[in-house]
Amino acid sequence: MNTLFGTLSRTAALRRAPLALRHSSQFQTSFQFTARPAAVNLAQVHARFAASSVAGRPGSQTIEHAKQNVKEEVGNSMTDWARSIAGGVFTVDSVKPSKDSFFGITTAVAHSVPTPYLVMGLTGGIPYIASSATTVYLAHQAGLATMGVLTNMDPGVALNILDQALNFQVHYGAVLLSFLGAMHWGMEFSGLGGYKGYPRLLLGISPAVLAWSTITLQPTFALLWQWLGFTALWYADNKVTAAGWTPKWYSQYRFYLSILVGTCIIGSLAGISYYGPVGRTRKLIEPERVGHVGGDIEAISGDESGDTYVVIRRKNKNGNADNGPNGEAQA
């Protein structure tokens, strides 16, 4: 009885309700009967999303999928690298890249650099490139003179000229590093990005203190310390560009200038080590332990003062042994 009256009362109440409320249960009932989940292959889903936990990319089903995923991941990494170099200024409308890629971001920021700044910056690097190339050439000449191959130059004179070239590169590097630090004083005086006070002034003076202290060091150590100084200063410039202390293009501008200077420093150090007197002397006294000895050879017992038991050496045409550095191998 209660069930019958309860049903009639609910029906009467529903009949007096608005039309939307009256048909909601009908819509719900039909939705419950018509909406059914589609059949899903769980194994296939698991395989497809196996590689998505970190990169958000689907797992590779085929070789083509693998190539596409690798290409996308490399492209994303290069894009993130370009953003880091630019200090995140790609979000500014004036340097908004047309394509979100390494070349798109780099090109957009490069186009925002005023042409006189770009030209003069590259021009200032020409003497440094010339000094580095001169250092490598003079190291080669000094090495030949030390070995006696170059007879028209005294070894002492060759070493003195090489030392002068190294000192020129060290002093010019000190000037460049000091100038890059002084740029922050100019930005502070002009109030670019607001007046920062002591933090920006200290950032501007620190490179000069490091640069001019290196001229008291031996040239090769001075170049190494200057390389560290250029790298550290670019890192600081990257951070202050992101903070709005500098023009929006400054971090990328400084990055490629630092790459230019760093390549010259590493080239000079490598050239001195390989072509210089020390490198050539090392090659001269180092025994030939691996290689091919052509012609007539002989094996003799090593000396008591030596560090080998057997010496294999090449014979000359007159029957005498060739004791040159390239004519014997030790075992």
Side-chain angles (χ1 to χ4, degrees), residues 32 39 41 75 136 143 145 167 185 190 214 216 235 254 320 322:
Q32 291 176 354
N41 189 341
V136 175
N167 284 324
W185 278 57
S190 64
T214 59
T216 62
Y235 181 79
R254 280 279 294 105
N320 296 328
D322 183 4

Side-chain angles (χ1 to χ4, degrees), residues 231-253:
T231 304
L233 182 57
W234 171 78
Y235 181 79
D237 288 339
N238 178 265
K239 296 301 182 182
V240 297
T241 300
W245 291 17
T246 67
K248 51 186 174 295
W249 44 263
Y250 191 69
S251 177
Q252 179 173 297
Y253 176 77

Side-chain angles (χ1 to χ4, degrees), residues 255-301:
F255 175 79
Y256 289 107
L257 291 181
S258 298
I259 288 292
L260 176 64
V261 173
T263 302
C264 291
I265 292 176
I266 294 175
S268 296
L269 295 176
I272 294 171
S273 177
Y274 186 79
Y275 292 114
V278 176
R280 291 190 177 275
T281 304
R282 187 188 307 116
K283 295 177 185 177
L284 182 65
I285 65 177
E286 186 178 25
E288 186 177 316
R289 300 182 180 274
V290 179
H292 176 74
V293 180
D296 296 333
I297 61 174
E298 65 177 355
I300 62 174
S301 299

Side-chain angles (χ1 to χ4, degrees), residues 29-93:
T29 304
S30 64
F31 175 77
Q32 291 176 354
F33 282 103
T34 57
R36 294 185 179 181
V40 178
N41 189 341
L42 296 180
Q44 185 178 13
V45 171
H46 177 72
R48 185 60 180 167
F49 289 94
S52 64
S53 59
V54 176
R57 299 295 180 195
S60 300
Q61 299 285 320
T62 62
I63 298 298
E64 295 300 326
H65 288 167
K67 291 181 180 179
Q68 181 181 358
N69 289 340
V70 170
K71 182 179 179 180
E72 291 176 351
E73 289 299 327
V74 172
N76 291 337
S77 298
M78 295 295 291
T79 301
D80 293 339
W81 188 34
R83 291 170 179 163
S84 299
I85 293 174
V89 297
F90 63 94
T91 56
V92 182
D93 292 338

